[in-house]
Amino acid sequence: MKKVPLLIFALLMLGMNAFAQKSLNLFISAGIGTIDNYDLGTVPYHNNGSTNVRNWGFNYLWDQHQIQIDGKYLKSTLKTLEGTDAAVDFNVEYLYRCINSEDNRFRFHTGGALKGYGEMKSIPSLQNAAVCFSVFGDLRSVNLVEYDFALSKDKTHYRMTAYGKLGLPLIGLANRPGYSYVYDAQGLGLLESIFGGHQTFAKFFPGCSTDFGLWFNMRNKNRIGLSYRWDYISTGKKDIWRYDNAYHTLNLSFVFNLK
């Protein structure tokens, strides 16, 4: 019986040691950029404009693993045809650090993510096609490369980290309206009036996302970052259901280490 308390004590110590190796971070970011939208169901040419973006979430690290959950809100002002584009983006991501240099300066992570994206586009001059709701979701592979440099004078930490990130959707689903979005919404419920006349279809490799930037690493393990992102979504379908959307944004980010 004396072995039981010793076993419990050993398990508690092991758990505390594992907990000490974990890290929880909260991050927020804001950015500005441009949008390039092509929706052949509306007009046969690109619609450009300016975008501002807000991003928030957290990541949880332990050993060689990392989980990140984040949400993004994008508000765009369309210029070619005057209007607005409001979108939300939700992401759940897992990464595994599979390569780590001996000095721990170079790291390569690989993994996957589930992403959902929805937008409401409003262009009053298009009348019957004035409002458009589109929803996308995908399963993607994600790869991240990091490199630390600018060692501090006291050699306690590297001041800067450069990184590059690639997200490649493997398969995606899209829910898009039919040609010119024309249908009779009278007598329909809310969801049916919004999504009536839509079609849902699958697409392999429906886009791409890249993120390149620099982190400034503070002594308290907080971070400040500057990055350039390119996020591209495409239905890849021809004729009236073709849809392409690209965001180019510069982002300022803040990471707060909670543990």
Side-chain angles (χ1 to χ4, degrees):
M1 295 296 292
K2 291 182 179 180
K3 294 182 178 180
V4 175
L6 292 175
L7 179 60
I8 295 175
F9 178 76
L11 291 174
L12 287 174
M13 292 300 294
L14 181 61
M16 291 177 65
N17 182 62
F19 184 79
Q21 297 175 5
K22 299 177 182 178
S23 177
L24 177 63
N25 300 289
L26 171 69
F27 63 87
I28 58 174
S29 69
I32 57 173
T34 63
I35 182 175
D36 188 359
N37 184 268
Y38 184 51
D39 183 355
L40 193 55
T42 304
V43 289
Y45 53 84
H46 292 81
N47 200 7
N48 301 306
S50 58
T51 294
N52 63 76
V53 55
R54 303 292 183 269
N55 188 206
W56 59 93
F58 67 89
N59 57 36
Y60 185 58
L61 300 86
W62 75 102
D63 298 329
Q64 296 170 281
H65 310 273
Q66 175 178 321
I67 291 177
Q68 178 168 305
I69 299 176
D70 65 272
K72 187 185 303 180
Y73 175 70
L74 305 106
K75 182 67 177 292
S76 304
T77 301
L78 303 175
K79 300 288 182 61
T80 309
L81 286 177
E82 293 185 1
T84 59
D85 189 303
V88 292
D89 188 311
F90 184 73
N91 181 69
V92 179
E93 177 182 288
Y94 167 78
L95 290 175
Y96 176 77
R97 189 176 71 243
C98 56
I99 298 177
N100 198 66
S101 63
E102 291 185 2
D103 57 5
N104 201 35
R105 295 179 63 184
F106 174 82
R107 300 174 295 279
F108 175 75
H109 313 253
T110 188
L114 288 172
K115 180 178 284 291
Y117 173 84
E119 71 164 27
M120 182 186 75
K121 184 166 56 200
S122 175
I123 306 176
S125 63
L126 295 180
Q127 299 180 2
N128 285 335
V131 179
C132 169
F133 294 87
S134 300
V135 179
F136 302 86
D138 65 68
L139 171 65
R140 60 181 53 200
S141 67
V142 181
N143 295 287
L144 170 66
V145 175
E146 298 178 301
Y147 182 75
D148 298 333
F149 63 99
L151 184 65
S152 62
K153 291 182 179 180
D154 58 6
K155 299 184 179 181
T156 58
H157 74 290
Y158 289 96
R159 296 192 186 97
M160 304 292 292
T161 300
Y163 73 90
K165 193 173 188 178
L166 171 66
L168 182 63
L170 303 177
I171 185 171
L173 292 175
N175 181 272
R176 291 275 298 138
Y179 178 64
S180 294
Y181 321 150
V182 179
Y183 59 94
D184 184 3
Q186 294 183 358
L188 301 178
L190 177 61
L191 292 178
E192 192 174 358
S193 65
I194 294 175
F195 295 103
H198 283 216
Q199 66 163 340
T200 300
F201 51 88
K203 172 70 172 64
F204 290 101
F205 308 110
C208 184
S209 293
T210 62
D211 188 4
F212 300 97
L214 288 171
W215 288 111
F216 174 70
N217 306 312
M218 304 173 70
R219 292 183 181 275
N220 58 5
K221 297 184 179 180
N222 293 342
R223 284 178 153 188
I224 300 174
L226 182 65
S227 67
Y228 162 74
R229 285 187 59 97
W230 175 62
D231 296 288
Y232 173 62
I233 299 174
S234 174
T235 63
K237 297 179 72 68
K238 299 179 180 180
D239 302 326
I240 61 176
W241 289 289
R242 180 179 173 184
Y243 173 92
D244 293 278
N245 190 73
Y247 291 103
H248 301 266
T249 57
L250 289 174
N251 304 275
L252 179 64
S253 303
F254 300 89
V255 175
F256 305 95
N257 181 255
L258 304 180
K259 178 61 180 180

